[in-house]
Amino acid sequence: MSNFSIISSILDNDFYKFTMQNAVIKLFPSAKAKYEFINRGKHSFPKNFVQILKENLNKMAYLKLSNEERIYLEKYCPYLDSSYLDFLNKYQYNPKEVSIYQKGKNIKMNIEGLWSRTILWEVPLMAIISELYYKLTGSKRISDKKIIILTKEKLKKYKNLQVKIGEYGTRRRYSYQVHKLILEILMEEGSSFFMGSSNVHLSHIFSIKPIGTQGHEWIMFHAAKYGFNIADRIAMENWLNIYSGNLGIALSDTYTSSVFFKNFNKKLSDFFQGIRHDSGDPIFFVQEAIKHYKKFQINPIKKKIIFSDNLNPCKVAYISSFCKNKINPCFGIGTNFTNDVGVPSMNIVIKMVRAIPEKKWISVVKLSNVKEKSTGKKNMIFLAKKILHL
């Protein structure tokens, strides 16, 4: 067990971690961040889980960007400039940034340090926790053959719906092996409608462009630095300044979509190719987005909505039929691809909880469009809602 490494490449991570890391280095090089593991599903972890988790963590310190991986990034992600790739070349995980301990059947975990460094931990850590959990609890999955049949059935449905889909399933995958198998099937069966994977390492293996833009922590940090009211707007403006129109999908639900749309002014609505929906009623969101674009005389059919909230073929069919001839939907499918293997999928997250934008630690919160997805200290959530009149 102990000589087995779950994460074998520094690129086995979601693409948006690298795009955000690049932006952080350029704009907030001295900012610090603290993240916390949240066991939403109240999973019981077996004895000595943390010990084996730490062994995997310590091995990550030896990962380095290979020459071949750098060449891949230069070719497929031209907006990551050479100064950033030089940084990534020298980057190594530092396990001292992560503290973990086990209390009975629960685990506590914090990550703390420079934001530009600690930003890469979240996704691989979750993938490790997920894979180890199934290994150590002896969860038996369905066979590869069944996974192939099941995935092909889903892809047939997506093909019939004539929708564009991407794979977003790194963080809660059953295992690396299942994840890779899913991508093989997607590459074979979905070539006409498969947009790509958010996993950079697997995208490299299959020679495709990774997909993704930014995560909630980008906007949460801006709220700590500039205030809740204008966090969305400044976060988007900063993004535009770094990527000048590339990676132009804006995340819409850090402080609820209604607050986002107030910040999404004409200039930003023009420049960004679309928006990502990650919580709340998708149909209501589509209606609000269309109304918003029309207000600025922007034709919604020229814009995209990327849906990424707990999707499956049934949900995709429902959303895409509503969007037809109104706006362009795309679908980022996560756990339903990489962990639909006959065991319950894990409900775990790792979220930024505090940041130092200037001199002192400030609690950060995410409000989301649904209460269950909100994170942060209760008093800070209360304050944010008060300031935003929610």
Side-chain angles (χ1 to χ4, degrees), residues 312-379:
N312 56 42
C314 190
K315 250 184 171 174
V316 170
Y318 171 63
I319 297 167
S320 66
S321 76
F322 185 80
C323 291
K324 216 174 186 64
N325 305 326
K326 298 188 189 91
I327 197 159
N328 271 311
C330 304
F331 300 90
I333 295 156
T335 314
N336 189 255
F337 269 151
T338 60
N339 201 348
D340 184 15
V341 295
V343 301
S345 58
M346 296 194 84
N347 187 0
I348 54 174
V349 291
I350 292 173
K351 286 288 171 206
M352 183 194 274
V353 287
R354 305 179 82 189
I356 303 184
E358 304 293 340
K359 291 190 174 67
K360 63 178 200 310
W361 285 107
I362 293 176
S363 287
V364 298
V365 300
K366 168 187 164 218
L367 295 183
S368 186
N369 289 322
V370 290
K371 210 173 148 203
E372 306 78 75
K373 280 193 156 191
S374 297
T375 61
K377 285 208 162 72
K378 280 200 174 85
N379 58 344

Side-chain angles (χ1 to χ4, degrees), residues 133-308:
Y133 178 80
Y134 293 121
K135 258 200 173 63
L136 298 175
T137 54
S139 303
K140 288 275 175 278
R141 65 168 174 89
I142 56 177
S143 67
D144 283 6
K145 197 177 162 188
K146 281 187 178 150
I147 291 174
I148 293 166
I149 293 166
L150 187 64
T151 308
K152 282 184 177 178
E153 275 168 14
K154 290 175 195 169
L155 292 183
K156 211 165 156 179
K157 289 175 184 166
Y158 294 137
K159 192 177 184 169
N160 291 338
L161 289 168
Q162 298 180 316
V163 291
K164 292 248 180 278
I165 55 156
E167 181 277 306
Y168 281 19
T170 304
R171 61 187 62 225
R172 294 186 198 91
R173 66 192 181 195
Y174 178 86
S175 67
Y176 172 77
Q177 190 241 324
V178 166
H179 195 175
K180 196 175 170 196
L181 175 64
I182 295 291
L183 262 189
E184 277 167 20
I185 306 162
L186 281 165
M187 290 295 293
E188 270 170 39
E189 304 284 318
S191 55
S192 57
F193 55 94
F194 174 49
M195 301 183 297
S197 167
S198 65
N199 186 291
V200 188
H201 161 66
L202 289 169
S203 298
H204 170 221
I205 287 180
F206 291 101
S207 303
I208 51 173
K209 203 171 88 179
I211 54 172
T213 51
Q214 82 275 91
H216 294 99
E217 66 185 285
W218 177 248
I219 299 139
M220 288 156 75
F221 176 86
H222 280 76
K225 192 167 168 69
Y226 303 104
F228 294 111
N229 277 309
I230 54 170
D232 279 307
R233 181 171 61 79
I234 297 182
M236 285 186 275
E237 282 170 358
N238 277 335
W239 197 256
L240 270 185
N241 293 339
I242 296 284
Y243 290 112
S244 40
N246 287 307
L247 306 173
I249 300 291
L251 184 53
S252 64
D253 69 333
T254 314
Y255 298 111
T256 74
S257 297
S258 59
V259 171
F260 166 82
F261 283 124
K262 281 181 199 139
N263 278 278
F264 201 37
N265 58 27
K266 179 156 172 43
K267 177 193 153 184
L268 293 168
S269 300
D270 269 329
F271 266 104
F272 276 85
Q273 295 145 18
I275 39 191
R276 178 152 81 91
H277 168 269
D278 196 47
S279 64
D281 179 353
I283 302 304
F284 178 71
F285 182 79
V286 173
Q287 290 166 324
E288 291 300 296
I290 290 169
K291 207 160 73 187
H292 176 84
Y293 281 126
K294 284 185 171 164
K295 182 178 83 184
F296 292 132
Q297 273 91 51
I298 294 168
N299 184 356
I301 208 78
K302 294 201 159 78
K303 297 292 181 182
K304 278 181 197 160
I305 301 181
I306 310 256
F307 295 91
S308 59

